[in-house]
Amino acid sequence: MTLQPLNNTHIIELMSWFNDQHDITQWAGPYFRYPFTAQTFIEDLNLDVSTSFVLVGQQNVLLAFGQYYQQKNKCHLARLIVNPIQRGGELQPP
């Protein structure tokens, strides 16, 4: 497994993890638009404010996504999510 900066390929995969308004609101809050396009999804991720990373497994499988940002001299984790296919199972060794 490797931690990598978010790229456009990851964004397309990440978008596929959300099936409805409820899912996206639970993950990102009420101001994240749904239905979304690639453009609105990227805009709503606030990439200029939050640093984004993905966890990538064997064969470039996207395992998880998360962001962090600084506020009031503290680091905050945000929008953490695990690939729905990987939830509840055992992680494979790197």
Side-chain angles (χ1 to χ4, degrees):
M1 285 184 267
T2 60
L3 193 61
Q4 302 175 9
L6 179 69
N7 68 37
N8 288 338
T9 303
H10 301 139
I11 290 171
I12 299 302
E13 173 74 16
L14 181 61
M15 289 172 56
S16 74
W17 295 357
F18 303 98
N19 297 316
D20 56 37
Q21 179 72 51
H22 179 291
D23 289 349
I24 202 78
T25 300
Q26 286 292 107
W27 174 66
Y31 302 111
F32 206 101
R33 291 170 276 186
Y34 188 90
F36 46 73
T37 64
Q39 180 177 342
T40 63
F41 195 88
I42 291 167
E43 289 171 1
D44 292 347
L45 281 176
N46 296 321
L47 297 175
D48 55 333
V49 176
S50 299
T51 304
S52 303
F53 284 95
V54 293
L55 184 63
V56 178
Q58 294 177 350
Q59 299 163 351
N60 283 331
V61 173
L62 188 60
L63 300 174
F65 168 87
Q67 293 180 305
Y68 75 89
Y69 61 94
Q70 298 285 334
Q71 187 175 46
K72 297 183 181 178
N73 294 323
K74 296 192 182 344
C75 181
H76 296 265
L77 299 177
R79 296 187 176 141
L80 302 176
I81 189 166
V82 173
N83 183 332
I85 294 170
Q86 303 296 323
R87 295 177 193 167
E90 294 182 29
L91 289 177
Q92 300 299 317

